[in-house]
Amino acid sequence: MKHKKHIAAYLPPVPLLLFILLAAAPLKAEAKRVVSLMPSYTEIIFGLGAGKDLVGVSNFCNWPPETAKLEKTGDYMRPNLEKVYSLKPDTVFAGAWADASSSKQLSSMGIKVVSLPEEKSAAGIFATVRLIAAELGRKREGEKLVRKLTALMPVKLPEKPLKVYLEADTGGWTAGGESFLSDAVRLAGGRNIFAEEKRGYFQAAWEEVLLLDPEAVILLSGTEEEFLARPMAKGLAAARAGRIITGLDRDAFSRPGPRLFTEIKKLGGLLGVPDAKK
Amino acid sequence: MQRNNFLLFSAALAAACLFSLAAGPAGWSNADIILNLRLPRTLAALAVGAGLGLAGALFQGVLKNPLSDPYILGTSSGATAAAVFCFLAGIERTSPVFFLAVFAGAFGATFLSYWLARLAGRLSDAALVLAGVAVSAFLSALVMLTLTSSGARSFSLFYFVLGGLYSVQPGVLLVSALLIAGAAALAMARWRALDAMALGSENAYHLGISPERERVLFFALACASTSAAVAIGGTIGFVGLMTPHIVRRFTGPSARGLVPAAALGGAAMLAAADAAGRSLFSPAEIPAGVVMALAGAPFFMWLLWKSSRGRN
């Protein structure tokens, strides 16, 4: 009897242990199947070391080079739902840009859609990194990535930042205070001349740009020559100081992803902000 | 054109120019901005508006169709499609090849609409509009397909397709303005032929005018004028539709007064629309094409309503 009781005392932990093992097994054996509908999410996922989990990305996802081999699911506003479904993902990361009805349709097909809010600042980008990391079970990698990106930002910003006009696309398309690009300019030691505008992207009237007289101009498309050919462009403080910046990586700077921070550092150098760490 | 009418149109044009030169966030005391920024832009709006107004008057006269204009007939879409293909092929906006290609696109699209509408036999207003809509829709879809699949620079090309006067190259403006002036001069010189066409092909024939030849000639002039306008400002609709209707009330139906008045009226209308677009929502800018569509689409509906009542 004594002996029998002895075994029984050990019985309950065995099924518990088995249960834990069984529950944990699929996590280990079967990798996640993830679809990213935004280039920035794709870059974040690779930054978290989870690139292997990706089974599909948007047509715009072209970084890192490994994305070339991944299945493409169309653009991020209207993803090709059948294509997404056929990839049998267990998680789809959709951005604020995505059409709400396509998210709903994917959910109704039994696919988990994680809709992330639009990033309006560097802090917003960190929030996205943390959300994606949590979703992929890589919280530690998420914190590591945030620390790495934070380290790229200048510690001390200039007291009198340069006035910056950022042209994302020719024809005066620029970013207002609601865009992360405004924050990127601030973190690089500049000040977006349209930072007070309560909107994301808009077409600025050229006359307004002339009036605000930026001390630096960032062109993400078009050439310096084309820019200076505009009426009175040569008289801008930026043109006189030779601060028409065309050397930023367009994709990297216009996506709220990890590469933006390298570009911020580069822009800081171009704007003449002293490296605070020296 | 009667003297009173001439004064009236000159006054409207002067008012539009003044508005265009005075409107903007810098106010009206900054001479630099007025001379170097608003003046070239006003000139561009005048040229594009005149070109489209002229084309509208010619199309409406030669087709005897109150609903026709370069936008409805597919002329603008043809020109825009050709321009977009030129941009993607790397052909400069100032090269003669560019203007030839844009003209060919405009002329081809217009004739296609005309030919389609004639297939049914008698040329009816509705058939022409339908054919134009079909041709425009197809060409716009082609442009969108090209832009979506090309990727590079597509955003600024979308802007071109939308129509606007944000950045105007002086070289393009000069060539286009000369083309439009030439087309206007030729059209005005042939006002009698245009009036005869308005009486119907048969009557025109009896007046010693070859309707087939005149039709091709006026189509060519209207297309040249439209393509010059598109080269500057992309697809801007409804100027060609609205102005002839408005100025006809003052000049009467004869092409002698109508054609120059439509050119002047179109110039005034677009200058005002562009000035409104760049000053009302400052610091943001609304492309002139959007302003014109806002005003012009209801006008088109009103015309349709009026023409349907006229038939009953």
Side-chain angles (χ1 to χ4, degrees), chain B residues 120-177:
Chain B
R122 199 183 130 268
L123 184 71
S124 77
D125 290 1
L128 194 64
V129 171
L130 277 178
V133 167
V135 170
S136 290
F138 179 72
L139 288 168
S140 306
L142 210 60
V143 167
M144 284 303 154
L145 179 72
T146 317
L147 293 185
T148 319
S149 51
S150 79
R153 285 188 67 195
S154 59
F155 208 69
S156 49
L157 288 180
F158 269 120
Y159 173 75
F160 176 79
V161 173
L162 202 60
L165 301 165
Y166 184 85
S167 57
V168 176
Q169 290 167 265
V172 180
L173 177 56
L174 185 69
V175 177
S176 295

Coordinates of all heavy atoms in Angstrom, one line a residue, chain B residues 120-177:
Chain B
A120 N -22.9 53.9 -86.2 CA -24.3 53.7 -86.1 C -25.1 54.4 -87.3 O -26.3 54.2 -87.4 CB -24.8 54.3 -84.8
G121 N -24.4 55.1 -88.2 CA -25.0 55.7 -89.3 C -25.0 57.2 -89.0 O -24.0 57.9 -89.0
R122 N -26.2 57.8 -88.7 CA -26.3 59.2 -88.5 C -25.5 59.6 -87.2 O -25.6 58.8 -86.2 CB -27.7 59.6 -88.3 CG -28.0 61.0 -88.5 CD -29.5 61.3 -88.3 NE -29.7 62.4 -87.3 CZ -29.8 62.3 -86.0 NH1 -29.8 61.1 -85.5 NH2 -30.0 63.3 -85.3
L123 N -24.8 60.7 -87.2 CA -24.0 61.1 -86.0 C -24.9 61.7 -85.0 O -25.4 62.8 -85.2 CB -22.9 62.1 -86.4 CG -22.0 62.5 -85.4 CD1 -21.0 61.4 -85.0 CD2 -21.1 63.7 -85.8
S124 N -25.1 61.0 -83.9 CA -26.0 61.6 -82.8 C -25.1 62.1 -81.7 O -24.0 61.6 -81.5 CB -27.0 60.6 -82.3 OG -26.4 59.7 -81.5
D125 N -25.7 63.1 -80.9 CA -25.0 63.6 -79.8 C -24.6 62.5 -78.8 O -23.5 62.4 -78.3 CB -25.9 64.6 -79.0 CG -26.1 65.9 -79.9 OD1 -25.6 65.9 -81.0 OD2 -26.8 66.8 -79.4
A126 N -25.6 61.7 -78.5 CA -25.4 60.7 -77.5 C -24.3 59.7 -77.9 O -23.4 59.3 -77.1 CB -26.7 59.9 -77.2
A127 N -24.4 59.3 -79.2 CA -23.4 58.3 -79.7 C -22.0 58.8 -79.6 O -21.0 58.1 -79.2 CB -23.7 57.9 -81.1
L128 N -21.8 60.1 -79.9 CA -20.5 60.7 -79.9 C -20.0 60.8 -78.4 O -18.8 60.5 -78.2 CB -20.6 62.1 -80.5 CG -19.2 62.8 -80.8 CD1 -18.5 62.0 -81.9 CD2 -19.4 64.2 -81.2
V129 N -20.8 61.2 -77.5 CA -20.4 61.2 -76.1 C -20.1 59.8 -75.6 O -19.0 59.7 -74.9 CB -21.5 61.9 -75.2 CG1 -21.2 61.8 -73.8 CG2 -21.7 63.3 -75.6
L130 N -20.9 58.9 -76.0 CA -20.6 57.5 -75.5 C -19.3 57.0 -76.1 O -18.5 56.4 -75.4 CB -21.7 56.6 -76.0 CG -23.0 56.5 -75.1 CD1 -24.0 55.6 -75.7 CD2 -22.6 56.0 -73.7
A131 N -19.1 57.2 -77.4 CA -17.9 56.8 -78.0 C -16.7 57.4 -77.3 O -15.7 56.8 -77.0 CB -17.9 57.1 -79.5
G132 N -16.8 58.8 -77.1 CA -15.7 59.5 -76.4 C -15.4 59.0 -75.0 O -14.3 58.8 -74.6
V133 N -16.5 58.7 -74.3 CA -16.3 58.1 -72.9 C -15.6 56.8 -73.0 O -14.7 56.5 -72.2 CB -17.7 58.0 -72.2 CG1 -17.6 57.1 -71.0 CG2 -18.2 59.4 -71.9
A134 N -16.0 56.0 -74.0 CA -15.4 54.6 -74.1 C -13.9 54.8 -74.4 O -13.0 54.1 -73.8 CB -16.1 53.8 -75.2
V135 N -13.6 55.6 -75.4 CA -12.2 55.8 -75.8 C -11.4 56.4 -74.6 O -10.3 55.9 -74.3 CB -12.1 56.7 -77.0 CG1 -10.6 57.1 -77.3 CG2 -12.7 56.0 -78.2
S136 N -11.9 57.4 -73.9 CA -11.2 58.0 -72.8 C -11.0 57.0 -71.7 O -9.9 56.9 -71.1 CB -12.1 59.1 -72.1 OG -12.2 60.2 -72.9
A137 N -12.0 56.2 -71.4 CA -11.9 55.2 -70.3 C -10.8 54.2 -70.6 O -10.0 53.9 -69.8 CB -13.2 54.5 -70.1
F138 N -10.8 53.8 -71.9 CA -9.8 52.8 -72.3 C -8.4 53.4 -72.2 O -7.5 52.8 -71.6 CB -10.0 52.3 -73.7 CG -9.0 51.3 -74.2 CD1 -9.0 50.0 -73.6 CD2 -8.0 51.7 -75.1 CE1 -8.0 49.1 -74.0 CE2 -7.1 50.8 -75.5 CZ -7.1 49.5 -75.0
L139 N -8.2 54.6 -72.7 CA -6.9 55.2 -72.6 C -6.5 55.5 -71.2 O -5.3 55.3 -70.8 CB -6.9 56.5 -73.4 CG -6.9 56.3 -74.9 CD1 -7.2 57.6 -75.7 CD2 -5.6 55.7 -75.4
S140 N -7.4 56.0 -70.3 CA -7.1 56.2 -68.9 C -6.7 54.9 -68.3 O -5.7 54.9 -67.5 CB -8.3 56.8 -68.2 OG -8.7 57.9 -68.9
A141 N -7.4 53.8 -68.6 CA -7.0 52.5 -68.0 C -5.6 52.1 -68.4 O -4.8 51.6 -67.6 CB -8.0 51.5 -68.4
L142 N -5.3 52.4 -69.7 CA -4.0 52.1 -70.2 C -2.9 52.9 -69.5 O -1.9 52.3 -69.1 CB -3.9 52.4 -71.7 CG -3.1 51.6 -72.6 CD1 -3.5 50.2 -72.6 CD2 -3.1 52.2 -74.0
V143 N -3.2 54.1 -69.2 CA -2.2 55.0 -68.5 C -2.1 54.5 -67.1 O -0.9 54.3 -66.6 CB -2.7 56.5 -68.5 CG1 -1.9 57.3 -67.5 CG2 -2.6 57.1 -69.9
M144 N -3.2 54.2 -66.4 CA -3.1 53.7 -65.0 C -2.3 52.4 -65.0 O -1.5 52.2 -64.1 CB -4.5 53.4 -64.5 CG -5.2 54.7 -64.1 SD -4.2 55.7 -62.9 CE -4.8 57.3 -63.2
L145 N -2.6 51.5 -65.9 CA -1.8 50.2 -66.0 C -0.4 50.5 -66.1 O 0.5 49.9 -65.4 CB -2.4 49.4 -67.2 CG -1.7 48.0 -67.4 CD1 -2.1 47.1 -66.3 CD2 -2.0 47.4 -68.7
T146 N 0.0 51.4 -67.0 CA 1.4 51.7 -67.2 C 2.0 52.3 -66.0 O 3.1 51.9 -65.6 CB 1.6 52.7 -68.4 OG1 0.7 52.3 -69.4 CG2 3.0 52.8 -68.9
L147 N 1.3 53.2 -65.3 CA 1.9 53.8 -64.2 C 2.0 52.8 -63.0 O 3.0 52.9 -62.3 CB 1.0 55.0 -63.7 CG 0.9 56.2 -64.7 CD1 0.1 57.3 -64.1 CD2 2.3 56.7 -65.0
T148 N 1.0 52.0 -62.9 CA 1.0 51.0 -61.7 C 2.2 50.0 -61.9 O 2.8 49.6 -61.0 CB -0.3 50.2 -61.7 OG1 -1.3 51.1 -61.9 CG2 -0.4 49.6 -60.3
S149 N 2.4 49.6 -63.2 CA 3.4 48.6 -63.4 C 4.8 49.2 -63.5 O 5.8 48.5 -63.3 CB 3.1 47.7 -64.6 OG 2.9 48.5 -65.7
S150 N 4.9 50.5 -63.8 CA 6.3 51.1 -64.0 C 7.0 51.4 -62.7 O 8.2 51.3 -62.6 CB 6.2 52.3 -64.9 OG 5.8 53.4 -64.2
G151 N 6.2 51.9 -61.7 CA 6.8 52.2 -60.4 C 7.5 53.5 -60.4 O 7.1 54.4 -59.7
A152 N 8.6 53.6 -61.1 CA 9.5 54.8 -61.0 C 8.7 56.0 -61.4 O 8.0 56.1 -62.4 CB 10.7 54.6 -62.0
R153 N 8.9 57.1 -60.6 CA 8.4 58.4 -60.9 C 6.9 58.4 -61.0 O 6.3 59.4 -61.4 CB 8.9 59.0 -62.2 CG 10.4 59.4 -62.1 CD 10.8 60.1 -63.4 NE 10.0 61.4 -63.5 CZ 10.0 62.1 -64.7 NH1 10.5 61.6 -65.7 NH2 9.3 63.2 -64.7
S154 N 6.2 57.3 -60.6 CA 4.8 57.2 -61.0 C 4.0 58.3 -60.3 O 3.0 58.7 -60.8 CB 4.3 55.8 -60.7 OG 4.4 55.5 -59.4
F155 N 4.4 58.7 -59.1 CA 3.6 59.7 -58.3 C 3.5 61.0 -59.1 O 2.4 61.6 -59.2 CB 4.2 59.8 -56.9 CG 3.2 60.2 -55.9 CD1 2.2 59.3 -55.5 CD2 3.2 61.5 -55.4 CE1 1.3 59.6 -54.6 CE2 2.2 61.8 -54.4 CZ 1.3 60.9 -54.1
S156 N 4.6 61.5 -59.6 CA 4.6 62.8 -60.3 C 3.8 62.6 -61.6 O 3.2 63.6 -62.1 CB 6.0 63.3 -60.5 OG 6.8 62.3 -61.0
L157 N 3.9 61.4 -62.2 CA 3.1 61.2 -63.4 C 1.6 61.2 -63.1 O 0.8 61.7 -63.9 CB 3.5 59.9 -64.1 CG 4.9 60.0 -64.8 CD1 5.3 58.7 -65.5 CD2 4.9 61.2 -65.8
F158 N 1.2 60.6 -62.0 CA -0.2 60.6 -61.6 C -0.6 62.1 -61.5 O -1.7 62.4 -61.9 CB -0.4 60.0 -60.2 CG -0.6 58.5 -60.3 CD1 0.2 57.6 -59.7 CD2 -1.8 58.0 -60.9 CE1 -0.1 56.2 -59.7 CE2 -2.0 56.7 -61.0 CZ -1.2 55.8 -60.4
Y159 N 0.2 62.9 -60.9 CA -0.1 64.3 -60.8 C -0.3 64.9 -62.1 O -1.2 65.7 -62.3 CB 1.1 65.0 -60.0 CG 0.9 66.5 -60.0 CD1 -0.1 67.0 -59.1 CD2 1.6 67.3 -60.8 CE1 -0.3 68.4 -59.1 CE2 1.4 68.7 -60.8 CZ 0.5 69.2 -60.0 OH 0.3 70.5 -60.0
F160 N 0.5 64.5 -63.1 CA 0.4 65.1 -64.5 C -1.0 64.7 -65.0 O -1.7 65.4 -65.6 CB 1.5 64.6 -65.3 CG 1.4 65.0 -66.8 CD1 1.8 66.2 -67.2 CD2 0.9 64.1 -67.7 CE1 1.6 66.6 -68.5 CE2 0.8 64.4 -69.0 CZ 1.1 65.7 -69.4
V161 N -1.3 63.4 -64.8 CA -2.6 62.9 -65.3 C -3.8 63.6 -64.7 O -4.8 63.9 -65.3 CB -2.7 61.4 -65.1 CG1 -4.1 60.8 -65.5 CG2 -1.6 60.6 -65.9
L162 N -3.6 64.0 -63.4 CA -4.6 64.7 -62.7 C -4.8 66.1 -63.3 O -5.9 66.7 -63.3 CB -4.3 64.8 -61.2 CG -5.3 65.0 -60.2 CD1 -6.4 63.9 -60.3 CD2 -4.7 65.1 -58.8
G163 N -3.8 66.7 -63.8 CA -3.8 68.0 -64.4 C -3.6 69.1 -63.4 O -4.2 69.2 -62.4
G164 N -2.6 69.9 -63.7 CA -2.3 71.1 -62.9 C -1.1 71.9 -63.4 O -0.5 71.4 -64.4
L165 N -0.9 73.0 -62.8 CA 0.2 73.9 -63.3 C 1.3 74.1 -62.3 O 1.9 75.2 -62.3 CB -0.5 75.2 -63.7 CG -1.6 75.1 -64.7 CD1 -2.4 76.4 -64.8 CD2 -1.0 74.8 -66.1
Y166 N 1.6 73.1 -61.5 CA 2.5 73.3 -60.4 C 3.9 73.8 -60.9 O 4.4 74.8 -60.5 CB 2.7 72.1 -59.6 CG 3.6 72.3 -58.4 CD1 3.1 72.8 -57.2 CD2 5.0 72.0 -58.5 CE1 4.0 73.0 -56.1 CE2 5.8 72.2 -57.4 CZ 5.3 72.7 -56.2 OH 6.1 72.9 -55.2
S167 N 4.4 73.0 -61.8 CA 5.7 73.4 -62.4 C 5.6 73.5 -63.9 O 5.3 72.5 -64.5 CB 6.8 72.4 -61.9 OG 6.5 71.1 -62.4
V168 N 5.9 74.6 -64.4 CA 5.8 74.9 -65.8 C 7.2 75.2 -66.4 O 7.8 76.1 -65.8 CB 4.8 76.0 -66.1 CG1 4.8 76.3 -67.6 CG2 3.4 75.7 -65.6
Q169 N 7.6 74.5 -67.4 CA 8.9 74.8 -68.0 C 8.7 75.9 -69.0 O 7.9 75.8 -69.9 CB 9.5 73.5 -68.6 CG 9.9 72.5 -67.6 CD 10.2 71.1 -68.3 OE1 9.3 70.3 -68.4 NE2 11.4 71.0 -68.8
P170 N 9.5 76.9 -68.9 CA 9.4 78.1 -69.8 C 9.4 77.7 -71.3 O 8.7 78.2 -72.1 CB 10.5 79.0 -69.4 CG 11.0 78.6 -68.1 CD 10.6 77.1 -67.9
G171 N 10.3 76.7 -71.6 CA 10.4 76.3 -73.0 C 9.1 75.7 -73.5 O 8.7 76.0 -74.6
V172 N 8.6 74.8 -72.7 CA 7.3 74.1 -73.1 C 6.2 75.2 -73.2 O 5.4 75.1 -74.2 CB 6.9 73.1 -72.0 CG1 5.6 72.4 -72.4 CG2 8.0 72.1 -71.8
L173 N 6.2 76.1 -72.3 CA 5.1 77.2 -72.3 C 5.2 78.0 -73.6 O 4.2 78.2 -74.3 CB 5.3 78.1 -71.1 CG 4.3 79.3 -71.1 CD1 2.9 78.8 -71.1 CD2 4.6 80.1 -69.8
L174 N 6.5 78.3 -74.0 CA 6.7 79.1 -75.2 C 6.2 78.4 -76.4 O 5.4 78.9 -77.2 CB 8.1 79.5 -75.3 CG 8.5 80.4 -76.5 CD1 7.9 81.8 -76.2 CD2 10.0 80.5 -76.7
V175 N 6.7 77.2 -76.6 CA 6.3 76.4 -77.8 C 4.8 76.2 -77.8 O 4.1 76.4 -78.9 CB 7.0 75.0 -77.8 CG1 6.6 74.2 -79.0 CG2 8.5 75.2 -77.9
S176 N 4.2 75.8 -76.7 CA 2.8 75.5 -76.6 C 1.9 76.8 -76.9 O 1.0 76.7 -77.7 CB 2.4 75.0 -75.3 OG 3.0 73.8 -75.0
A177 N 2.4 77.9 -76.4 CA 1.6 79.2 -76.6 C 1.6 79.5 -78.1 O 0.6 79.9 -78.6 CB 2.2 80.3 -75.7

